[in-house]
Amino acid sequence: MNIRPVVLVADPLSPVALSSLGSDVEVRHCDGTDRPALLAAVESADALLVRSATRVDAEVLDAAPRLRFIGRAGVGLDNVDVQDATRRGVAVANAPTANVVSAAEMTCALILASARHLLPAGTALRQGSWERSRYTGVELSSKTLGVIGLGRIGTLVAERMAAFGMDIVAHDPHLGNACPDGVKLLTLDELLRRADVITVHLPKTAETTGLIGRAELAAMKPTALLVNVARGGIVDEQALHAALVSGQIAGAALDVFGREPCTESPLFELDNVTPTPHLGASTSEAQDRAGVTVVEAALKALFDQPAGSPAA
Ligand SMILES: NC(=O)c1ccc[n+]([C@@H]2O[C@H](COP(=O)([O-])OP(=O)(O)OC[C@H]3O[C@@H](n4cnc5c(N)ncnc54)[C@H](O)[C@@H]3O)[C@@H](O)[C@H]2O)c1
Ligand SMILES: O=C(O)CC[C@@H](O)C(=O)O
């Protein structure tokens, strides 16, 4: 009889994280985006480890009578119904700092890539076209960066882009007086009107979904660049497409989309859009840290507490 707790890994975790699971647990794998496979596999799971692709909702929790722990190897918890899990006595843990440097570096890369048209210029060159004037960019020095959501990642982006000579403004109603030196706090409307580059670093919640829509895009400068490395759906993709086509704003860089995986979008047809497939946390360092953090939390939940009692 198998008495080792079963840990179900439903999204790819780093090899370092997988090896840190050790031999006291039985590790099983499934593709968490394959719903029937997930629902079948979770039935015997004591712990479930996911990243952002697997949706853990009431249906999954209903199918998981033994589940004691859900680990989210990353920051955003919008794919896990934390409230429902907690109500059922299933502990949930994420890795809130594991990938923030990677996400901030990705954001800076996208800001620079957009300002200098790196993606369309490189694509044109691969197709044999040497078009230097077409891809004239803009300098970032002395321009204003608007950070919406000045938490961990927003702050790291602000620090890094300040080194490029950007003035930093931010909007974050939950900050109170805890604003870092050198950053000016503004209302959302003031930020939208003033910033040359706007970067979004919010959790996806009922309050933030659709926060950047038609009216907000209309308030931006026609030269503005918008970057979203937070979550799809915070920026309204239809409204963004219209704003980019009409020249209401100059460009956008998007790492995240309302529906993922997203392999087709009218946005991908626009030269002034730099899309990436949710790569913000995709570095070996971030994946090792995020994976090991949730593995440690899983082992603690499975072995430090008697089965059936909710973990803290
Ligand atoms: N693309 C990626 O791979 C990737 C990687 C890591 C994180 N993320 C996303 O980035 C998000 C932010 O991460 P973080 O670590 O900076 O989180 P955080 O909690 O440290 O910061 C979020 C900030 O947003 C602020 N905020 C909340 N609601 C707001 C609103 N309506 N208007 C303005 N500000 C508001 C909060 O006060 C907080 O300061 C995560 O929730 C996650 O969804 C994406
Ligand atoms: O690694 C991933 O799946 C992305 C994680 C990222 O979006 C996060 O919220 O931490």
Side-chain angles (χ1 to χ4, degrees):
M1 197 177 86
N2 177 17
I3 48 157
R4 290 185 303 164
V6 171
V7 177
L8 180 65
V9 179
D11 284 320
L13 292 191
S14 90
V16 173
L18 290 176
S19 66
S20 71
L21 276 163
S23 54
D24 291 341
V25 295
E26 181 183 335
V27 183
R28 296 186 191 163
H29 295 264
C30 79
D31 174 358
T33 63
D34 177 341
R35 204 68 183 167
L38 173 66
L39 293 175
V42 83
E43 193 179 347
S44 51
D46 297 280
L48 172 64
L49 304 184
V50 301
R51 285 173 53 186
S52 57
T54 299
R55 196 162 36 86
V56 187
D57 55 14
E59 189 183 26
V60 172
L61 295 168
D62 281 343
R66 288 171 48 167
L67 200 63
R68 283 188 274 154
F69 177 82
I70 300 166
R72 161 68 173 96
V75 178
L77 277 162
D78 46 291
N79 57 320
V80 178
D81 190 335
V82 179
Q83 219 181 344
D84 194 4
T86 308
R87 191 178 56 75
R88 298 172 193 240
V90 180
V92 180
N94 66 346
T97 60
N99 62 30
V100 294
V101 168
S102 291
E105 289 180 358
M106 179 77 185
T107 307
C108 298
L110 288 176
I111 293 172
L112 289 159
S114 297
R116 303 303 291 270
H117 311 297
L118 297 191
L119 181 66
T123 305
L125 185 53
R126 281 175 191 273
Q127 289 162 354
S129 168
W130 183 270
E131 298 180 90
R132 294 179 64 208
S133 352
R134 180 169 176 193
Y135 296 117
T136 300
V138 290
E139 281 188 352
L140 295 169
S141 182
S142 300
K143 300 282 179 9
T144 298
L145 175 70
V147 181
I148 304 179
L150 196 66
R152 293 187 183 92
I153 299 171
T155 302
L156 293 173
V157 171
E159 287 167 4
R160 282 152 179 73
M161 296 318 296
F164 277 84
M166 297 195 83
D167 297 323
I168 314 293
V169 299
H171 171 69
D172 192 324
H174 307 292
L175 265 193
N177 295 325
C179 186
D181 286 349
V183 178
K184 192 171 171 47
L185 276 188
L186 300 177
T187 65
L188 182 58
D189 189 60
E190 286 167 340
L191 180 149
L192 297 171
R193 290 178 194 286
R194 194 189 294 192
D196 299 292
V197 179
I198 295 170
T199 185
V200 178
H201 299 287
L202 303 169
K204 187 172 184 182
T205 62
E207 183 200 0
T208 63
T209 298
L211 188 77
I212 306 298
R214 212 147 55 106
E216 291 71 28
L217 289 157
M220 294 179 194
K221 295 180 181 180
T223 50
L225 301 174
L226 174 66
V227 179
N228 184 7
V229 179
R231 275 295 177 273
I234 295 175
V235 177
D236 177 331
E237 286 171 20
Q238 245 184 322
L240 176 62
H241 183 267
L244 288 163
V245 169
S246 68
Q248 204 165 49
I249 70 167
L254 305 169
D255 186 45
V256 284
F257 300 90
R259 284 223 183 126
E260 296 184 9
C262 175
T263 52
E264 278 177 30
S265 163
L267 288 162
F268 297 171
E269 285 153 32
L270 305 180
D271 231 19
N272 52 354
V273 172
T274 302
T276 49
H278 203 148
L279 293 180
S282 294
T283 63
S284 46
E285 293 87 348
Q287 286 311 314
D288 287 351
R289 279 193 296 264
V292 169
T293 302
V294 293
V295 165
E296 283 172 357
L299 296 178
K300 192 166 160 39
L302 292 175
F303 294 110
D304 285 4
Q305 301 190 24
S309 82

